[in-house]
């Protein structure tokens, strides 16, 4: 299999390394969406971790397997073929560079809009043998994970007693929803691990700026989350479940009751890691503010009101590990 071209010494110096962790957490919430207490458990997980995994999610594992197979085929192409998809500005193929501000990682990825027309345009370059098959798989997969995200947001509304029940869901369901989809490949780099016993950082620590993220991976480990006390723990791989991240926007909308989870990914020394993530974002003009029904008497708003477009532009200007929300805190000087 063809993988990323070997990095130069200069490139490696920009990609951080770390000893691989065996500290797998056994406390990460696992929620069965078919159970009657799912809403209560989802809210508790969002408050305690900002992260959880779900089973009985309704997404076809056969569909997941087929789309992952397409990703494996694409990332196995020569570098010149992959480059033909076009740079991820914003949609396309990316390698090592994460964003425009100098962040680097041992990763290659395809970033796609959820707009079916734009998916179709990119499909020809991603899967020249059968672009219609790739387009169809992505479309079906996005339909399934969006439905899953809607269900989770309605469970959150139930658990927090938010009215109307669809107040969060409708932001992602809107036809102008600014949601995106990313297919990731973290290639192995056994030479480095053999030399130093360390792994390359695939994607450095960060929070997701959107409302919610729905992700899954193959059986290769690498994902870590930061607990509220700052401790980093490894998330055991589970290719049959979906992992749910609270995003910055949902933290704002709950006035800090939910915490946007800080997470990172390490590349495995010997095995490829593949993942796919749906990032649920609202329409650009949507106003992000605490939901009025959550405000208790005398409670202060922690954040200023802003539009998703304002926050997205601010986040795009930042570095990966920056606290993006600090500029939008109610007591922040300057900001938007």
């Amino acid at each position: 299999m063809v993988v990323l071209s070997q990095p130069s010494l200069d490139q490696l110096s920009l990609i951080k390394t770390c000893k691989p962790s065996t500290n797998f957490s056994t406390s990460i919430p696992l929620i069965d969406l078919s159970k009657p207490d799912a809403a209560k458990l989802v809210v508790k997980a969002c408050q305690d971790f900002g992260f959880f995994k779900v089973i009985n999610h309704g997404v076809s594992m056969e569909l997941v397997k087929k789309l992952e197979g397409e990703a494996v085929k694409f990332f196995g192409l020569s570098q010149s073929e992959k480059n033909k998809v076009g740079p991820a500005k914003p949609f396309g193929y990316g390698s090592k560079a994460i964003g425009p501000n100098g962040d680097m990682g041992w990763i290659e990825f395809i970033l796609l809009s959820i707009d079916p027309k734009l998916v179709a345009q990119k499909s020809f370059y991603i899967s020249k043998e059968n672009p219609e098959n790739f387009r169809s798989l992505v479309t079906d997969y996005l339909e399934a994970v969006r439905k899953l995200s809607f269900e989770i947001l309605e469970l959150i509304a139930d658990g927090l007693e938010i009215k109307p029940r669809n107040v969060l869901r409708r932001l992602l369901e809107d036809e102008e929803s600014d949601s995106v989809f990313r297919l990731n490949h973290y290639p192995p780099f056994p030479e480095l691990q053999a030399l130093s016993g360390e792994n390359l950082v695939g994607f450095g620590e960060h929070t997701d700026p959107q409302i919610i993220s729905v992700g899954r991976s193959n059986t290769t480990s690498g994902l870590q989350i930061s607990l509220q006390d700052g401790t980093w723990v490894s998330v055991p791989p589970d290719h049959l479940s979906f992992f749910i991240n609270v995003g910055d926007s949902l933290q704002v909308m709950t006035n800090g009751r939910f915490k946007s989870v800080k997470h990172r990914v390490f590349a495995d020394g010997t095995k490829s890691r593949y993942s796919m993530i749906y990032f649920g974002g609202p329409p650009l003009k949507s106003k992000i503010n605490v939901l009025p029904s959550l405000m208790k008497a005398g409670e202060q708003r922690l954040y200023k009101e802003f539009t998703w477009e304002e926050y997205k532009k601010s986040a795009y200007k930042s570095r990966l590990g920056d606290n993006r929300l600090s500029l939008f805190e109610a007591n922040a000087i300057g900001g938007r």
Side-chain angles (χ1 to χ4, degrees):
M1 176 183 291
V2 178
V3 295
L4 281 173
S5 56
Q6 298 298 302
S8 67
L9 292 177
D10 287 342
Q11 287 178 318
L12 270 180
S13 68
L14 295 174
I15 301 176
K16 296 178 181 179
T17 63
C18 185
K19 293 281 187 181
S21 172
T22 57
N23 181 28
F24 284 101
S25 175
T26 57
S27 61
I28 292 169
L30 170 63
I31 299 174
D32 185 339
L33 295 180
S34 68
K35 299 295 185 181
D37 62 349
K40 180 180 70 174
L41 295 177
V42 165
V43 168
K44 181 171 174 52
C46 290
Q47 292 173 334
D48 295 348
F49 289 84
F51 180 89
F52 55 96
K53 68 177 183 178
V54 296
I55 58 174
N56 284 324
H57 43 69
V59 180
S60 163
M61 285 295 102
E62 183 64 24
L63 173 60
V64 170
K65 181 179 178 181
K66 289 180 179 179
L67 182 55
E68 185 177 275
E70 289 297 311
V72 171
K73 283 196 292 186
F74 172 78
F75 289 123
L77 296 174
S78 67
Q79 195 65 51
S80 61
E81 285 297 310
K82 289 182 286 194
N83 289 341
K84 291 178 182 178
V85 175
K89 294 182 178 180
F91 303 116
Y93 170 77
S95 170
K96 303 186 186 74
I98 302 171
N101 299 314
D103 291 302
M104 300 286 287
W106 189 239
I107 183 176
E108 57 179 347
F109 60 89
I110 303 169
L111 184 64
L112 296 171
S113 165
I114 66 167
D115 184 330
K117 293 180 180 178
L118 296 179
V119 172
Q121 290 173 9
K122 290 296 182 183
S123 295
F124 175 79
Y125 299 98
I126 295 169
S127 179
K128 289 186 176 179
E129 291 181 358
N130 195 343
E132 177 56 28
N133 180 60
F134 180 82
R135 183 208 62 76
S136 178
L137 288 172
V138 170
T139 300
D140 291 347
Y141 181 83
L142 285 174
E143 181 180 353
V145 293
R146 290 184 73 211
K147 181 179 179 181
L148 173 58
S149 72
F150 300 161
E151 179 181 0
I152 290 168
L153 291 177
E154 290 196 333
L155 288 173
I156 289 172
D158 291 341
L160 292 177
E161 299 181 349
I162 299 170
K163 302 294 183 182
R165 187 173 187 250
N166 70 342
V167 66
L168 295 170
R169 168 183 177 153
R170 66 190 182 196
L171 292 172
L172 305 192
E173 204 169 20
D174 192 293
E175 63 180 14
E176 295 185 356
S177 166
D178 187 40
S179 300
V180 296
F181 176 56
R182 198 174 68 219
L183 293 160
N184 298 321
H185 176 219
Y186 301 92
F189 195 72
E191 294 88 346
L192 176 69
Q193 191 176 56
L195 182 65
S196 64
E198 297 189 343
N199 282 352
L200 289 164
V201 174
F203 211 107
E205 61 182 74
H206 65 288
T207 60
D208 295 338
Q210 291 89 353
I211 294 174
I212 193 173
S213 305
V214 180
R216 56 84 53 197
S217 71
N218 66 347
T219 57
T220 303
S221 62
L223 176 62
Q224 293 190 336
I225 64 169
S226 177
L227 304 181
Q228 292 192 13
D229 64 2
T231 302
W232 285 95
V233 296
S234 293
V235 178
D238 182 354
H239 67 292
L240 300 177
S241 301
F242 279 83
F243 296 97
I244 311 300
N245 290 20
V246 170
D248 295 344
S249 296
L250 189 54
Q251 178 171 321
V252 172
M253 297 174 79
T254 60
N255 210 37
R257 288 170 174 79
F258 293 177
K259 300 297 183 184
S260 180
V261 64
K262 186 178 290 186
H263 54 290
R264 63 190 181 188
V265 180
F266 290 102
D268 188 275
T270 58
K271 297 180 292 183
S272 282
R273 184 176 193 274
Y274 297 94
S275 65
M276 30 194 174
I277 309 170
Y278 162 73
F279 299 93
L284 289 173
K285 300 302 181 183
S286 292
K287 292 181 179 179
I288 307 299
N289 202 353
V290 61
L291 297 170
S293 62
L294 293 182
M295 294 296 290
K296 298 177 181 178
E299 182 177 352
Q300 299 296 311
R301 296 177 187 269
L302 299 181
Y303 304 96
K304 305 170 186 177
E305 181 182 275
F306 53 86
T307 65
W308 168 241
E309 184 174 30
E310 289 173 318
Y311 191 60
K312 182 178 179 181
K313 286 181 178 178
S314 177
Y316 192 70
K317 294 176 183 177
S318 68
R319 294 296 299 269
L320 198 59
D322 289 347
N323 179 4
R324 303 182 180 110
L325 277 177
S326 63
L327 295 176
F328 296 84
E329 291 174 354
N331 59 357
I333 299 174
R336 50 184 287 260

